[in-house]
Amino acid sequence: GFSDLSYYFMVMPLLFNDSLSHPNGHQRAAALRDLLSMTLTGCAIMVKFVNTHVMLGISWVYLGGAMLLQVIATMHMQPNRYSEVLFSNANMCFVVMGLEGLLYTVIVMAVFVRFYGLVKNNIEAAHGWGSSFFSSNFRHFLYVTITMQICSPIFFIGTALATWRAAFLTAFTQTFEYETAAKPTSLTSVKQ
């Protein structure tokens, strides 16, 4: 979510420069109007996208943690501690978290399929299995939603663990190197 938002705003100066490059004043004004419209519409969509990403991540992580806590408590607590009563009363919360995760997955996938529909002519060839399979928005939506349901719990739990690890290392180590992408060094660069 954050990388999408930062990419969106990193591209804005390039689009603004492109809008100003039109030699004709009327074309430049029209290009700037289009850019302003796209910026305002895009910002609203990006805010929705980031909010649903955050809620989706939180609901999957909490749902996974609650399920793990229930299994551990059932296995390791004595029956007289009534842990099954606690979890039978709290199951509604787990169901709501799961349904919320499903709802936000559907929202994120609908926004993704809509964005893809806007730019698919620029990034996809007009032939091949992908063009015929993804030509139907419903088929594309169904494919992406099923894939997201399978992969998102693993992804968001992994993201939470990585975030917790980074927070721990930042708090308890003197030096912490944070890399967002591999950077070429003299040993890994290709010499011509």
Side-chain angles (χ1 to χ4, degrees):
F2 179 73
S3 61
D4 300 325
L5 192 63
S6 62
Y7 177 77
Y8 183 76
F9 286 112
M10 284 178 10
V11 170
M12 283 298 144
L14 299 173
L15 295 174
F16 181 72
N17 191 27
D18 182 61
S19 298
L20 290 178
S21 69
H22 293 285
N24 185 338
H26 294 293
Q27 289 177 339
R28 188 177 318 128
L32 287 171
R33 260 192 318 274
D34 290 344
L35 178 64
L36 179 63
S37 173
M38 186 209 63
T39 302
L40 295 177
T41 305
C43 282
I45 291 172
M46 288 302 291
V47 165
K48 291 176 189 173
F49 191 67
V50 169
N51 286 343
T52 54
H53 248 88
V54 168
M55 289 306 297
L56 180 61
I58 289 170
S59 67
W60 282 121
V61 171
Y62 283 162
L63 179 62
M67 290 170 55
L68 181 64
L69 179 63
Q70 183 175 4
V71 168
I72 291 171
T74 304
M75 288 173 41
H76 296 290
M77 291 182 77
Q78 299 295 324
N80 62 355
R81 300 296 301 259
Y82 301 109
S83 63
E84 65 275 354
V85 173
L86 170 69
F87 289 111
S88 67
N89 290 331
N91 274 341
M92 183 61 162
C93 182
F94 301 156
V95 169
V96 169
M97 281 189 239
L99 291 176
E100 179 191 24
L102 179 64
L103 173 69
Y104 283 113
T105 299
V106 169
I107 291 170
V108 168
M109 293 307 103
V111 170
F112 174 78
V113 169
R114 183 171 176 189
F115 276 156
Y116 179 78
L118 294 174
V119 298
K120 72 179 172 184
N121 294 330
N122 297 334
I123 60 174
E124 292 286 333
H127 53 77
W129 77 271
S131 64
S132 62
F133 184 79
F134 296 125
S135 62
S136 164
N137 282 341
F138 179 73
R139 255 188 308 203
H140 190 191
F141 175 78
L142 192 62
Y143 169 77
V144 173
T145 302
I146 290 170
T147 305
M148 185 72 170
Q149 288 301 318
I150 293 168
C151 298
S152 64
I154 299 164
F155 172 77
F156 287 118
I157 289 171
T159 302
L161 291 174
T163 303
W164 294 336
R165 179 184 178 273
F168 179 80
L169 290 175
T170 302
F172 296 109
T173 60
Q174 295 294 325
T175 58
F176 177 66
E177 293 184 27
Y178 176 72
E179 292 190 26
T180 57
K183 294 172 183 57
T185 61
S186 61
L187 298 175
T188 61
S189 63
V190 177
K191 296 184 180 181
Q192 297 177 341

